[in-house]
């Protein structure tokens, strides 16, 4: 299994945009069969640099690639695209 962890810097994103993005992410497992789970949340610690994080699980790195290119995922990412100044990602086996 693969854990896919992504963090975003979105300092100018309105709360409504972040909520819309999280709702779009929450809907992805029902639309992308190889995506086992996903959860996302807004950072509540004002002393940290990253604004939002997500953790997704899939069987293989190939499944992560399928998820990444899926039209529903691409549409979700477009919600925050105008606000994103940085992204960090780690994929690891567990």
């Amino acid at each position: 299994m693969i854990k896919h962890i992504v963090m975003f810097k979105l300092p100018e994103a309105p709360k409504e945009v972040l909520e819309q993005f999280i709702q779009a992410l929450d809907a992805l497992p029902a639309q992308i069969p190889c995506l086992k789970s996903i959860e996302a949340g807004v950072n509540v610690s004002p002393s940290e640099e990253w604004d939002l994080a997500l953790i997704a699980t899939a069987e293989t790195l190939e499944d992560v690639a399928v998820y990444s290119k899926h039209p529903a995922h691409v549409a979700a990412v477009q919600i925050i695209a105008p606000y994103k100044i940085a992204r960090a990602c780690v994929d690891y086996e567990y």
Side-chain angles (χ1 to χ4, degrees):
M1 293 288 289
I2 301 294
K3 286 259 192 206
H4 174 70
I5 301 171
V6 185
M7 297 185 305
F8 299 94
K9 288 186 182 182
L10 307 157
E12 301 299 321
K15 182 179 178 183
E16 300 80 30
V17 169
L18 299 177
E19 290 171 357
Q20 183 183 6
F21 180 55
I22 291 171
Q23 288 174 357
L25 293 174
D26 288 344
L28 293 180
Q31 301 172 61
I32 307 172
C34 65
L35 184 62
K36 301 301 180 194
S37 68
I38 193 166
E39 67 177 274
V42 175
N43 186 3
V44 296
S45 177
S47 64
E48 298 298 332
E49 294 182 31
W50 297 91
D51 299 298
L52 188 142
L54 71 85
I55 301 171
T57 59
E59 290 286 335
T60 66
L61 278 175
E62 292 79 12
D63 290 341
V64 173
V66 168
Y67 144 76
S68 295
K69 295 176 186 173
H70 191 280
H73 175 259
V74 172
V77 170
Q78 291 306 307
I79 295 168
I80 61 163
Y83 306 98
K84 182 179 73 174
I85 62 168
R87 175 187 178 275
C89 178
V90 173
D91 295 316
Y92 67 88
E93 292 183 312
Y94 72 103

